[in-house]
Amino acid sequence: MAIFDIKEIRVKRIKPTQFRLEKDLQNLIELNLETIFNCRLIASEFSTGNLHSGRIDTLGISEDNNPVIIEYKKVASSELINQSLYYLHWITDHKGDFQIAVNKSIKEQIEVDWSDIRVICIAPEFKKYDLHAVQTMGSNIELWQYKLYENGILSIEEVYRKSTNTNTAIDTNGKNPVMVAAGKKAAETRRTGTYTIEEHFNKLNPELTELFNQIREYIVGLDNAIEESPKRYYIAYKTSQNFVCIEAQKRKLLLYLKLGLEDVEPMPRQGRDVSNIGHFGTGDFELTIKNKKDFEDTKYLIEKSLANIGG
């Protein structure tokens, strides 16, 4: 892809360049980790101990409190994927070590969510063999490709991420087999640490179930890149980061959006600022949805939240 600088009616091609050192790339990402990946930094060059004998480039925690591992390469290298897989297996077996690192780095009580571990590989390019490898592995390894230009522009593009989309719909006209199996699924969740859409549906009264499905369908229809990711207390909808989280309650749905008060004019009766109020979902603007009219009157704010995170 060619990049041009426009001055009046003339364009000048911007040439790609490279970081002098791999560490320069790492330092830049770590200093801007929240802006780029919406994660908090836990440690840089984190040692995995004498026995494992490794060193994780960047260790972080996501906005959903999931562990994050980031590995970098200044040149294309398939070693990056093998190395990342090595660290993924390590952190799965050393949850206590990660919790200690979190406690030291963040001066607040964090409940780590082990239902999802993000492993991010960043390189200037990936070969078709790399893409095939991560698809075949089935592990949650993300491939991100960067380009640096001579005018200081940095481009970071997602090449591959294992899809977490779920398309479960609830039958509102008869006995729902998902609900019948909810107890078994909850037991499986406790055993594996993986959360399901069905657990959230199970909290709703029948009147809200159909509305919940309509809202889900609307959200995922905004962009093909949107993923639906069930968490313990909410369902996150995201591209590069969460832009809406839905918390299911018996008589209402709470939507948390990435909006500031300056983005919401006028304030709808269903909305409020929760930036200084404790809540589960990510995002500081809350919408209370009790019926279809509540949703129709405010669904434009969901699109605005998606635009706010840059799509």
Side-chain angles (χ1 to χ4, degrees):
M1 178 178 65
I3 301 292
F4 297 92
D5 182 28
I6 302 175
K7 289 187 177 178
E8 296 180 352
I9 60 172
R10 298 291 183 183
V11 298
K12 176 187 175 184
R13 183 185 291 269
I14 305 300
K15 297 177 183 178
T17 184
Q18 268 290 359
F19 288 97
R20 188 175 63 87
L21 300 171
E22 190 175 289
K23 187 68 176 176
D24 294 337
L25 168 63
Q26 180 178 343
N27 288 341
L28 183 66
I29 297 294
E30 288 180 348
L31 287 170
N32 298 278
L33 194 58
E34 190 164 350
T35 300
I36 297 173
F37 290 114
N38 210 31
C39 300
R40 286 184 282 181
L41 180 66
I42 299 301
S44 182
E45 303 294 337
F46 183 81
S47 173
T48 57
N50 294 331
L51 183 62
H52 190 267
S53 189
R55 192 169 290 276
I56 297 172
D57 287 346
T58 301
L59 195 62
I61 191 165
S62 76
E63 61 179 332
D64 294 313
N65 291 338
N66 303 128
V68 179
I69 293 170
I70 305 178
E71 291 293 314
Y72 311 85
K73 280 290 180 286
K74 185 173 158 296
V75 296
S77 171
S78 294
E79 178 190 346
L80 178 59
I81 294 171
N82 295 329
Q83 191 174 336
S84 299
L85 188 63
Y86 188 61
Y87 293 136
L88 173 60
H89 287 168
W90 178 86
I91 201 168
T92 302
D93 291 334
H94 293 79
K95 296 179 180 179
D97 292 338
F98 179 75
Q99 184 70 66
I100 290 171
V102 170
N103 293 344
K104 286 182 178 179
S105 175
I106 301 176
K107 306 305 180 186
E108 59 181 277
Q109 189 65 33
I110 298 292
E111 181 183 355
V112 178
D113 182 353
W114 289 97
S115 66
D116 187 21
I117 302 172
R118 291 186 69 185
V119 180
I120 300 171
C121 299
I122 304 177
E125 65 174 313
F126 292 96
K127 306 296 186 183
K128 62 181 180 180
Y129 311 105
D130 301 324
L131 184 60
H132 177 74
V134 293
Q135 289 173 329
T136 303
M137 288 173 190
S139 298
N140 192 21
I141 295 179
E142 305 173 23
L143 304 183
W144 290 76
Q145 183 172 288
Y146 80 87
K147 291 188 184 300
L148 180 67
Y149 295 91
E150 60 183 1
N151 63 343
I153 293 293
L154 176 67
S155 165
I156 300 181
E157 178 184 10
E158 183 181 74
V159 176
Y160 174 80
R161 183 195 308 193
K162 181 182 176 183
S163 175
T164 58
N165 274 335
T166 55
N167 297 307
T168 304
I170 295 298
D171 179 6
T172 58
N173 297 318
K175 191 173 183 180
N176 178 13
V178 173
M179 297 301 186
V180 174
K184 294 180 180 179
K185 287 183 179 292
E188 180 69 8
T189 295
R190 289 190 293 271
R191 187 180 71 82
T192 64
T194 302
Y195 304 109
T196 64
I197 291 290
E198 289 82 5
E199 293 172 86
H200 295 279
F201 273 115
N202 201 31
K203 301 174 186 177
L204 301 170
N205 64 26
E207 291 76 20
L208 274 180
T209 302
E210 184 178 353
L211 177 60
F212 196 2
N213 272 325
Q214 291 175 359
I215 295 174
R216 292 172 64 210
E217 183 178 356
Y218 168 75
I219 293 173
V220 298
L222 292 174
D223 192 297
N224 289 334
I226 293 172
E227 292 190 4
E228 181 179 62
S229 181
K231 303 297 178 181
R232 182 176 181 180
Y233 298 111
Y234 57 87
I235 303 170
Y237 295 84
K238 60 186 179 181
T239 52
S240 59
Q241 60 179 271
N242 298 351
F243 68 96
V244 57
C245 295
I246 302 180
E247 180 185 335
Q249 297 187 2
K250 186 174 182 180
R251 293 183 175 84
K252 62 184 177 183
L253 301 170
L254 298 179
L255 277 60
Y256 295 96
L257 309 177
K258 292 285 179 70
L259 296 174
L261 289 179
E262 67 279 4
D263 301 314
V264 186
E265 288 289 344
M267 174 69 72
R269 60 176 176 79
Q270 303 95 327
R272 66 169 179 159
D273 173 45
V274 291
S275 56
N276 295 313
I277 301 173
H279 56 281
F280 290 121
T282 61
D284 290 333
F285 184 77
E286 179 188 270
L287 281 176
T288 299
I289 306 297
K290 296 182 178 180
N291 51 54
K292 189 172 182 179
K293 186 177 187 308
D294 287 344
F295 173 55
E296 292 294 335
D297 288 347
T298 57
K299 68 181 184 181
Y300 71 95
L301 292 171
I302 297 175
E303 292 188 47
K304 183 173 283 192
S305 181
L306 176 60
N308 264 10
I309 67 162

